[in-house]
Amino acid sequence: MLLAAHAHGAGVRPAAASPPTLPKQRSCCSTRRERGLPAVRAVMARPHQDVAAPPPPAIRKMVTAAPPVTETTTTVYHDSWFDKLAITYLSRNLQEASGLKNGKDGYEGLIEAALTISGLFRVDQQWQTVATALEWAFPSYILTMIKVMMPPSRISREYFAAFTTIFFPWLVGPCEVRESEVDGRKEKNVVYVPKCRFLESTNCVGMCTNLCKIPCQKFIQDSLGTAVYMSPNFEDMSCEMIFGQQPPEDDPALKQPCFRTKCIAKQNRQVNCSI
């Protein structure tokens, strides 16, 4: 009884009843495994976590391709021993006729001689200088014999055209014989030069007309007795030599303006080569 009263007076608390046992919860994953289904894990976003927005797609600028640059190609010549001999011979004659020497060789020396003449001489003096050089290049007795034996005719015109294409490509470049109509019939009396070597090397209208076209027309007429009309095309640098045709009085080649941006006479000598 004392023990019981002591226990009652001390306020001994009865032992706490254990909580009731709850049935064990099955996880969804275990349930899915028991059912033979693949497990699915739930992913929960962390609270108060800022999700960065993806950057906007870069703006792609449309770039227009530049048009291809068309470069002007210069013809490369491979002169034979005969070509080099003829070039040197004519160059020396031009230098002696003008009295102006230069130390350059080959076609470069020929162009330098022509450039010097065009820069220092008047137009009429240029014609006379080239005529003198041509007379020295061809002995007078040979020219007289050709003039007597080959008077103006279809045969002589076609002969001169063929002769030019064989023996003068070193001066004007590769060329070919073409036909034209003379007195109502076809003749092979035209020499067509696709790209004149002299004009391409100088890019000079004045040197073409005053040191080639006009002196050669006069020389062939006077020395060989055959008219010839040289018709250069300054757009593509081609040329036609028409044997048997007189040059027109109002020659369009003499009205061609200077190639100011390319002309070597204009650049090197400040020559107004359009007159």
Side-chain angles (χ1 to χ4, degrees):
M1 291 181 65
L2 291 175
L3 291 173
H6 178 74
H8 179 75
V12 178
R13 296 179 183 177
S18 59
T21 303
L22 298 177
K24 191 176 181 180
Q25 297 277 343
R26 293 184 179 181
S27 66
C28 61
C29 294
S30 62
T31 305
R32 296 179 67 89
R33 283 197 295 268
E34 292 176 0
R35 295 179 182 177
L37 298 176
V40 178
R41 294 183 180 179
V43 179
M44 298 181 64
R46 295 180 181 178
H48 309 291
Q49 183 178 5
D50 296 333
V51 180
I59 300 176
R60 303 180 67 180
K61 296 182 179 181
M62 299 297 293
V63 180
T64 304
V69 179
T70 303
E71 297 182 357
T72 303
T73 58
T74 303
T75 307
V76 178
Y77 294 90
H78 302 282
D79 296 316
S80 65
W81 66 269
F82 173 80
D83 299 333
K84 294 177 181 178
L85 183 64
I87 291 169
T88 302
Y89 184 61
L90 180 58
S91 177
R92 188 188 310 123
N93 286 340
L94 278 177
Q95 294 177 47
E96 291 179 357
S98 63
L100 303 169
K101 303 288 185 177
N102 68 71
K104 297 184 179 180
D105 298 326
Y107 208 84
E108 185 180 0
L110 175 63
I111 295 301
E112 181 65 23
L115 179 61
T116 303
I117 294 171
S118 68
L120 299 180
F121 293 172
R122 299 191 313 267
V123 172
D124 58 336
Q125 293 176 329
Q126 295 178 34
W127 299 349
Q128 184 58 46
T129 302
V130 175
T132 301
L134 292 175
E135 290 174 0
W136 290 350
F138 300 95
S140 58
Y141 69 91
I142 294 180
L143 297 176
T144 301
M145 183 174 61
I146 294 175
K147 186 176 182 179
V148 172
M149 297 179 60
M150 303 189 69
S153 64
R154 176 179 179 176
I155 295 177
S156 63
R157 291 188 290 268
E158 293 186 342
Y159 173 81
F160 291 140
F163 184 86
T164 302
T165 60
I166 296 173
F167 292 101
F168 285 93
W170 57 269
L171 178 61
V172 297
C175 46
E176 61 185 27
V177 175
R178 290 188 174 182
E179 290 184 342
S180 73
E181 187 171 327
V182 180
D183 298 331
R185 62 182 182 178
K186 298 289 186 178
E187 290 185 8
K188 294 182 178 181
N189 64 322
V190 178
V191 175
Y192 175 69
V193 184
K195 196 171 188 179
C196 178
R197 182 178 187 178
F198 185 77
L199 181 56
E200 182 184 17
S201 300
T202 61
N203 281 314
C204 181
V205 174
M207 294 175 69
C208 170
T209 55
N210 298 327
L211 297 177
C212 181
K213 171 181 164 60
I214 295 177
C216 288
Q217 288 177 168
K218 188 176 186 305
F219 174 78
I220 294 174
Q221 174 72 63
D222 296 344
S223 301
L224 301 178
T226 299
V228 63
Y229 172 45
M230 299 176 66
S231 177
N233 184 331
F234 293 104
E235 295 295 328
D236 60 4
M237 295 188 178
S238 64
C239 185
E240 284 187 341
M241 300 176 62
I242 309 173
F243 288 93
Q245 180 175 333
Q246 290 288 347
E249 294 183 1
D250 190 19
D251 197 328
L254 303 181
K255 301 178 182 180
Q256 173 69 28
C258 175
F259 294 149
R260 297 185 183 277
T261 59
K262 299 182 294 184
C263 174
I264 64 172
K266 182 70 176 178
Q267 294 174 356
N268 298 356
R269 307 279 184 173
Q270 295 300 315
V271 176
N272 185 8
C273 65
S274 59
I275 60 175

